Amino acid sequence: MDGQYLVSGVLALFLGIFLLYKRLGKEKRRVSKKGRGDGYVKSSVDGGFRPGIDGSTDIIIVGAGVAGAALAYTLGKDGRRVRVIERDLTEQDRIVGELLQPGGYLKLMELDLEDCVQTIDAQRVIGYALFKDGKHTQLSYPLEKFHSDVAGRGFHNGRFVQRMREKAASLPNVSLEQGTVTSLIEEKGTVRGVQFKTKAGEELTAYAPLTVVCDGCFSNLRRNLCTPKVDVPSHFVGLVVENCDLPLPNHGHVILADPSPILFYPISSTEIRCLVDVPGQKLPSVASGEMAKYLKTKVAPQVPPELYKAFIAAIDKGNIKSMPNRSMPANPQPTPGALLMGDAFNMRHPLTGGGMTVALSDIVVLRNLLRPLQDLNDASALCNYLESFYTLRKPVASTINTLAGALYKVFCASPDPARKEMRQACFDYLSLGGLCSTGPVSLLSGLNPRPMHLVCHFFAVAVYGVGRLCLPFPSVKRMWLGARLIKGASGIIFPIIRDEGVRQMFFPATVPAYHRGPPVY
């Protein structure tokens, strides 16, 4: 009798394999490049099994940087079956994404990811030191009301990302794989998944009800999901300075140099990151030695004396990297089945180190929106519901974005007398202490995401500058300069606010999507 069961079992096994093979044979999809642009392909399905759509994957995440890795862990922890496809899973050596503001650390705690900065030699950052013309002022984060562990963190970006990837991959329902996503797969106006190429060069497809694109600032998929307006006002040239101490320990240092700011902040117990902002589209050549000459002759004389020798030694060491500083306001095109996040979606000048804070805040918003949903398969209803994401994220994102763009323009040197006065007024205003320093720093740190407070402080700086000009005895020339200062301040901040969206930024509750509830099935 046992033998009969064995024979029957073997026959059933072979029959099952035959039927599965036959069914999979029907699954070959005819891919056509006639989609809505280069980033889309259309799929034609004969029927039957579709990976992801049948329930094997809930969400595909394209990219496993800060945003992608954190999102994968967050959604995986909520029980979602997540498939992450990342171009390169090895540890990267980047010169940006190394300073996490206290507001970002709070979001990290909210996502249960704070341990990812505890084993990478990350350094506490408790404020800023601002230098101008041989003077400096100390700006401390207003952390009195928070847990003692809350502060900024400086670290190597690659180490931080690897820790988050490891934590995401530790979840049984999250898979990370290396591959380059070449296009989104569209079917009747809905994104159904992605087409990607493996490390071995094999072209594959993956399907899920929702695809989240987090493929970074150089995204080749964003043009299908938003209307990108990318601006590159400058480049950061990065060095690692060793064997020295910062003038103010555990502080980020901003030097208001000519022509634009220089940054120093700790990234390990023995290393300090230096970022030199170089305005314009063209950089001096590193290979020819022009960059080293520029750094030694133009930049080094403006570096604080405590850092000068170590700065020159870092130049001589030769490990000079550069990165374009991109800004791009969020301008989404809501698309069923897909969502943009991270630098693929929204960028700001990295002067204020706000990018990771915005990304982590966005993840908290998206997580809270998705938590009530058990079924993600109704792409149209889900897309309609997730339109609220773009409004709910605005308080944090627009505050940090606007401040980054405005501060960069104010901190850059200019031959215009009005701009010079605005720059000096900003330094003097922040040096006043009290609310004049804690207010702007709380905005910069992500601890006070209130756009109206930002506008009030910005114009308070401008009015303070006018007061400096007109006291003790106003003259026609000084009054005219003061009027130009106010006009210049308006010309700096209002275009940024316009790009962010006035209604969403200041009156989000008036946007219909703000009140949209989860779909009812």
Side-chain angles (χ1 to χ4, degrees), residues 361-362 365-366 368-369 385 387-397 504 508 513-516:
S361 175
D362 284 355
V365 172
L366 182 61
N368 294 341
L369 286 172
Y385 170 57
E387 282 187 33
S388 60
F389 166 76
Y390 302 118
T391 303
L392 293 171
R393 67 182 293 273
K394 273 297 176 178
V396 174
Q504 285 187 317
Y514 182 86
H515 304 283
R516 204 162 285 166

Side-chain angles (χ1 to χ4, degrees), residues 149 198 213 238 362 515:
D149 190 46
T198 67
V213 176
D362 284 355
H515 304 283

Side-chain angles (χ1 to χ4, degrees), residues 2 73 181 261 277 297 333 344 508 510:
D2 290 341
Y73 175 75
V181 174
D277 186 84
T297 58
Q333 296 175 350
T510 67

Side-chain angles (χ1 to χ4, degrees), residues 6 28 38 79 109 135 174 198 262 266 301 322 382 413 456 471 521:
L6 180 61
K28 293 182 179 178
D38 296 336
M109 293 174 68
K135 299 179 181 179
V174 176
T198 67
I262 306 166
S322 65
L382 180 63
C456 290
L471 294 176
Y521 299 105

Side-chain angles (χ1 to χ4, degrees), residues 27-103:
E27 249 338 273
K28 293 182 179 178
R29 288 169 170 80
R30 299 183 298 274
V31 177
S32 168
K33 291 292 182 180
K34 298 179 181 179
R36 290 187 302 175
D38 296 336
Y40 274 107
V41 296
K42 289 185 178 179
S43 72
S44 175
V45 185
D46 293 327
F49 175 77
R50 174 182 284 175
I53 298 299
D54 75 323
S56 61
T57 303
D58 296 317
I59 298 171
I60 292 171
I61 297 176
V62 181
V66 171
L71 182 63
Y73 175 75
T74 301
L75 297 180
K77 197 175 67 165
D78 278 359
R80 305 288 184 186
R81 289 162 294 186
V82 181
R83 184 176 183 180
V84 185
I85 305 172
E86 160 61 33
R87 181 183 59 82
D88 188 351
L89 286 172
T90 62
E91 184 175 317
Q92 301 297 299
D93 183 14
R94 302 183 66 205
I95 65 169
V96 291
E98 297 176 314
L99 181 62
L100 180 67
Q101 297 289 357

